[in-house]
Amino acid sequence: MKNPQISRRAILQAGGAAGLAAALGLPTSGPAAAADLSAQRSGRHTTEIIDLGPAVVQFSLMSSILVGDIVYIGSRNLDPVRIVAFHVPTGKVVGETVLDTGYSIQALAADSTGRYLYAGVLQNAVGTLPNLYRWDLATLSTKATPIGRIGDRDVRDLSVAPNGRVYAVGGGSPTKPALWEYNPATGQVISLGIPDTGATLARAVAATDTTVFFGAGSTLGGGGSAGRACLWVYSRATRTFANVTPSEMLADPSIRELAILGDKLLVSSAASTQQSKVALLSLDNLASYSVATSIGKTAKNFTSIGDKVYFANETGICVYSVASNSVSQLTLNGPSLGEIWGVDARNNKLLATSGYGFVAEIDPGTGSMAVTDLGEAGASATPQTVMGIAAGAGFAYAGGNGVIARHSLATGDVLNLQSQGEAKDAVIVDGVLYTGQYSSQGIWKYDPRSGQPIHQAADFPGAQNRPLDVCWDEVNKLMLVAAQSDTEGGGSFWTYDPTSGAKQCFINPIDNRQLLRAVATRDGVAYLGGGLPTLDGPGTIVAFDPVAGKELWRIEPGTGAGISALAIQGRNLYGLTRKGGIFVIDIPTRTLVHQADISSLSYGFGALVANRSVIYGVSDTNVFRLDPKTFEVATVLADTKGGWYSGSHITNDENGYLYTMRGRNLVRIDDHPRR
């Protein structure tokens, strides 16, 4: 893997409240002087909250398609959701439209005339709001309008048949994913049926005037043995489905991409324990096909030049030769592309849209590329939702999509570090940042004193793709990481020695069903917290020797819910469940000493941290503390409306300051509980 470089520009954020900031030992000018400060005092107890400004700012994207000379790009985790029009010849953004619902756009498709662009959004909740839109490209100043909704919460892919009918697939609802059709003539969106009751997510669709292809499976939520790759064909004449999955793809988690190439259907799989595959099926005889093993675990965004098909994997661009039925990696001479969300062909060159926020024009013959930063081209950079955070040694870090924002606590300057994937959680040890990097990126490292870019420090099995909790074992001098497997179910426990580089991975240390979502440590023992993909229990706690790699003991608190977070203070292990339960286990006696319902403060994915001899917790809506003697819960900061993408986080630095999110801004909390 090439090491991503620090982004070409730093983002500065301004603030005020100079006098109050000076009183707190902060700079009296610049961003760290605080845009907002609030304080509350009650007796000997004081709490001061400082607003450090937007946590992560850049133009973040999740989809891309070329129509004529313009690349249309859908935003990711920005508010409001938008599509920008990037004009390739001039290198400028020439138009933008805002959508009324959703948080990201993964699906874009244009009709055969190039007049209409269709977009499908990802949403936070099931409901009746529209998730399908159409933008009239004849006049870019017009706004995209809602045209209806599919019954699935999220739209993952769209395809427009030559006759103008639009087909959509997705998931995220309690029901199994269906194939949906929008008829522009009637304005109706209807379900054509659920082809596969084992699938949990549909990610690909392609349509001709007579047939529609539906690609599904599951790569989210611990898929396990259910919901493997499936490809179905729908006959518009008979209104029936038939399973046409190539046998070579059946072991993969899902079908990832579909595209019509002349009289052929291109199919790719998303892989887990094996390499992904690319298949070419004859539209006249779907049983006649060829399959090639690809490179890596991802194959998406097909385009073609001559008899060569180009597509993205997790490290760059691949080439599929139809003549030889083989896949090779294209050698690129330029910066890392990171996660690629669009590959198109124009004038015998490739256009790759990078999750780092740029479009690269690539000569496939030489691999040379010219890069245009979308922010510099005119795309508006606004605050993202945030993954993990960490603080220490004068900096606070916030992870976004393809970026980690480094906040200087002395000057307020913010520097964006390009990093592949997403930093789901992180910790700082001796001034060095270590992250658990999604998806299948292992542990990354950044030392601001070295002058070196952030880079991968350790890799782990690709199926163990989602590291969710990171902590430091001071006794054994080890990084400890709890990870879940989205595709295989279960999870793993990682250890990493930053000094020697030694690493270990223990797969399914709880059982083969519970995902690992939390880890804490005391006296050289790791405590692992598990849970099912759903909210329900058992939520087992396992005490684990991270050096010997063996279980010491286990306990089930009996909360009937999966574990969301763990933290240790003194002899007690504190746990937070996804249903809003809090419990305390006395470690020496291995007994449950306290249990309570705090669902009014926390529900879903929360986090805990030990700070100043007190346990603090955070949810999407509140920051709270637990009294170390009575275990009574008190609110520290209410109505946070935290701008989190995949679960809330809270961290602390060596001075005892807490850091979390209020809205899409990073805040610092100085809390002094009454003793």
Side-chain angles (χ1 to χ4, degrees), residues 376-390:
E376 295 172 0
S380 53
T382 53
Q384 291 187 29
T385 48
V386 170
M387 313 292 169
I389 57 174

Side-chain angles (χ1 to χ4, degrees), residues 327-517:
V327 175
S328 59
Q329 189 82 34
L330 184 65
T331 300
L332 300 177
N333 301 313
S336 166
L337 296 176
E339 188 171 18
I340 300 168
W341 286 103
V343 180
D344 289 287
R346 178 182 178 273
N347 296 340
N348 291 319
K349 290 189 177 180
L350 300 172
L351 295 172
T353 304
S354 166
Y356 291 151
F358 64 79
V359 175
E361 187 176 57
I362 302 168
D363 184 329
T366 65
S368 62
M369 69 173 73
V371 170
T372 303
D373 183 277
L374 289 168
E376 295 172 0
S380 53
T382 53
Q384 291 187 29
T385 48
V386 170
M387 313 292 169
I389 57 174
F395 296 104
Y397 298 85
N401 299 114
V403 64
I404 299 173
R406 188 194 74 178
H407 294 247
S408 169
L409 298 175
T411 67
D413 290 354
V414 182
L415 183 66
N416 280 353
L417 312 173
Q418 288 182 355
S419 63
Q420 183 128 353
E422 302 164 0
K424 291 298 188 184
D425 197 24
V427 69
I428 295 173
V429 180
D430 297 330
V432 180
L433 174 74
Y434 296 92
T435 74
Q437 206 77 2
Y438 169 89
S439 170
S440 304
Q441 295 292 319
I443 294 172
W444 282 48
K445 172 183 179 181
Y446 173 68
D447 185 346
R449 301 159 297 189
S450 70
Q452 299 298 311
I454 187 169
H455 61 278
Q456 189 183 56
D459 62 351
F460 293 89
Q464 304 300 318
N465 66 310
R466 190 181 291 266
L468 290 175
D469 199 12
V470 180
C471 72
W472 174 248
D473 178 353
E474 180 63 30
V475 173
N476 297 306
K477 307 296 182 184
L478 293 173
M479 301 292 308
L480 307 180
V481 181
Q484 79 173 41
S485 172
D486 287 346
T487 60
E488 306 306 307
S492 61
F493 171 54
W494 309 346
T495 70
Y496 170 68
D497 184 336
T499 302
S500 68
K503 61 183 181 179
Q504 295 190 83
C505 177
F506 307 99
I507 295 177
N508 293 337
I510 297 179
D511 56 44
N512 61 6
R513 296 177 65 240
Q514 291 191 62
L515 315 175
L516 263 70
R517 289 206 168 99

Side-chain angles (χ1 to χ4, degrees), residues 244-255:
V244 292
T245 315
S247 59
E248 295 86 348
M249 293 181 168
L250 291 172
D252 291 330
S254 80
I255 298 299

